[in-house]
Amino acid sequence: MGTLSKVAVLNAGGWGTALAVVLARNRHRVRLWARRPEQAARLSAERSNDTYLAGVALPESVRPTADLAEALDGCEAAVLVPISAGLRDLARRVAPLLPDDAAVVHGTKGLEQGTLLRLSEVIETELRPSHRGRVAALSGPTHAEEVGCGIPTAAVVASADADAASTLQAILNGPTFRVYTNGDIVGVELCGALKNVVALAAGIGDGLGSGDNAKAALMTRSLAEIGRLVQAAGGRAETVAGLAGVGDLIATCTSRHSRNRRAGELIGQGWTVDRVLGESRQVVEGVPATRAAIALAQRYGVSMPIAEQVAAVLFDGQDPLRALAELMARDPTAERWGRLP
């Protein structure tokens, strides 16, 4: 494994901090950009990010900074990990500072509201033409709490440019963070966004006490929904069976670390959506992703009954028990999986 002179990790949340630690363990010099000067100063002084990733020490080769130009100066790779709603603004700020030959990858799971663009598309619309078609996405079952602690994890880096994917694989792959490449960036990004919708549904089921059988059925049938949409949008069915699909769905629907699953659980227990969102320290990406999923399903003429019921609970005041009853009362049909005609 080669050593890069500098990698910029942009946004010092939990996931950005975890990736900075991974990169430092891989012997890279890392500039971890924080949005606020006081946050950068605290990270530098305390050498940990107790707000978002408690208990994980920052290696010496991680240098926090609030100066975006300093973070990107001479970097050979840039890792963008803001919340989905902040990605366009960050990419716009990055554009004039990013070296033309730097590899670019984002680690954010979602879709842009309004445009319904995948997040690599958002980034490419803001960067210079030299980066068009080269932006990659990092996805898979990657809870920051485990990645930061060095617990074995596997992920996928996807790009339409095979060389870009291979470059980023070499940078990110390490003893406890195994990285695969995938050319299907459409499927990888859609899976990463849509699994959060399913995690909300799984959490609602947990809150209702619906049991393991129901969760297993929910996850399996959600994969069919995701597969239909992925293929309709130009992605590959096999991507849904990989780390970005099945792998991430398992982790997000079952883990105590999953804020989307936890948000759904509280809704299932009777909390209002506004209360859940108001009391969460972090963004629940499944909520905006649900709106986007419904809009994409309508665009492509794809049936997504589970996502529709999640939307009804979140936005229309549907009682969670009623949503479950409506899913169970749908007309019986044959189980089908595979490619679209």
Side-chain angles (χ1 to χ4, degrees), residues 14-200:
W15 185 214
T17 302
L19 287 173
V21 170
V22 166
L23 289 160
R25 290 172 181 158
N26 290 353
R27 298 182 295 150
H28 305 301
R29 290 188 297 158
V30 182
R31 299 296 179 265
L32 177 61
W33 176 75
R35 290 182 294 112
R36 301 182 304 278
E38 60 271 23
Q39 183 188 20
R42 187 168 60 251
L43 291 171
S44 296
E46 299 177 0
R47 303 307 302 170
S48 65
N49 190 347
D50 290 341
T51 302
Y52 296 109
L53 196 67
V56 177
L58 293 180
E60 291 184 4
S61 57
V62 176
R63 179 176 168 181
T65 178
D67 186 333
L68 192 58
E70 177 188 358
L72 290 165
D73 181 39
C75 75
E76 296 180 59
V79 184
L80 281 63
V81 282
I83 61 173
S84 61
L87 186 60
R88 183 177 290 276
D89 178 67
L90 178 58
R92 185 176 293 134
R93 296 175 62 188
V94 164
L97 304 171
L98 184 69
D100 283 336
D101 58 351
V104 180
V105 61
H106 77 83
T108 304
K109 297 170 182 178
L111 296 161
E112 185 174 57
Q113 297 299 296
T115 68
L116 302 182
L117 291 174
R118 292 179 288 103
L119 299 184
S120 65
E121 295 176 307
V122 173
I123 295 169
E124 289 182 1
T125 61
E126 297 296 336
L127 298 187
R128 292 191 293 271
S130 58
H131 285 97
R132 301 285 162 79
R134 294 174 48 209
V135 173
L138 178 67
S139 197
T142 52
H143 286 307
E145 296 86 350
E146 296 186 1
V147 172
C149 290
I151 295 173
T153 299
V156 59
V157 62
S159 177
D161 186 314
D163 290 339
S166 295
T167 296
L168 289 159
Q169 179 187 45
I171 294 169
L172 291 160
N173 191 74
T176 63
F177 195 69
R178 181 172 175 82
V179 180
Y180 295 81
T181 61
N182 190 324
D184 180 21
I185 191 168
V186 174
V188 166
E189 288 187 298
L190 287 178
C191 284
L194 296 171
K195 60 90 183 183
N196 284 328
V197 180
V198 185
L200 284 170

Side-chain angles (χ1 to χ4, degrees), residues 194-264:
L194 296 171
K195 60 90 183 183
N196 284 328
V197 180
V198 185
L200 284 170
I204 290 171
D206 289 340
L208 294 172
S210 58
D212 294 337
N213 291 347
K215 181 178 283 191
L218 170 76
M219 293 168 65
T220 305
R221 295 312 304 163
S222 292
L223 286 169
E225 289 191 15
I226 293 171
R228 287 194 292 267
L229 186 56
V230 163
Q231 291 175 86
R236 299 198 301 259
E238 53 265 36
T239 298
V240 184
L243 286 166
V246 171
D248 207 1
L249 193 73
I250 291 170
T252 312
C253 289
T254 63
S255 174
R256 61 188 173 87
H257 297 307
S258 171
R259 59 182 176 272
N260 287 281
R261 190 211 62 79
R262 177 58 179 161

